[in-house]
Amino acid sequence: MNPLQEDMENALTGSQSSHASLRDVHSINPAHLMARIESYEGREKKGISDVRRTFCLFVTFDLLFVTLLWIIELNVNGGIENTLEKEVVRYDYYSSYFDIFLLAVFRFKVLILAYAVCRLRHWWAIALTTAVTSAFLLAKVILSKLFSQGAFGYVLPIISFLLAWIETWFLDFKVLPQEAEEENRLLIVQDASERAALIPGGLSDGQFYSPPESEAGSEEEAEEKQDGEKPLLEL
């Protein structure tokens, strides 16, 4: 291919791409962009996302539910005062449910501190609480005598184990991915707004538009000129 023709094709391709990019930026509605940016900034000003707030509520439910089950167990086994003294003051690892309640308190404090107060965006805190809960409950079920104490010997360990893993699933598959997606959307919208602001308001799409017919005509004229130059060179 002739170098002249290559140069003309490269120039036409660059012109088309620049025109297309300018049209794309100018076609963005600034009012729509500002509305979206304000909506994302409004979420940031709230301090905590909706999905993270739901997670914190579930962590609170975990503590309250385990506490309720433990109080019911105290009432069933001879009254709150007597059973409380037996399980707390005279604590026995092999027969007491008090440590399962403390385990729920541990999960609540660590998770609320990490994901509500510090607004952590990593899974290490939930991994710590779930690992400690799982290891402790497995050891207690194997070594203790809870199964000989009625239904609560089954209910409390199983409920505590399930709640810990549901919290892990909810944070890892709902909270962190959704917050990362919202942050990426905000960055994209802000970047589009900055690019749109670089285009003067008085420009229109027609100023950057070259009809396909004119481009095709210019290519035909270049080929005709090239064909006309060949006989002259032969002479």
Side-chain angles (χ1 to χ4, degrees), residues 23-36 189 192-193 196:
R23 287 198 304 271
D24 292 339
V25 173
H26 188 69
S27 62
I28 299 172
N29 188 350
H32 179 64
L33 282 174
M34 292 305 299
R36 294 187 65 180
V189 171
S193 176

Side-chain angles (χ1 to χ4, degrees), residues 98-129:
F98 179 59
D99 45 14
I100 297 180
F101 164 75
L102 291 180
L103 202 58
V105 174
F106 164 74
R107 288 197 303 272
F108 175 79
K109 288 185 176 181
V110 172
L111 295 179
I112 293 298
L113 178 64
Y115 297 110
V117 178
C118 298
R119 299 173 192 172
L120 193 66
R121 294 191 176 183
H122 199 271
W123 48 263
W124 69 262
I126 192 75
L128 172 65
T129 58

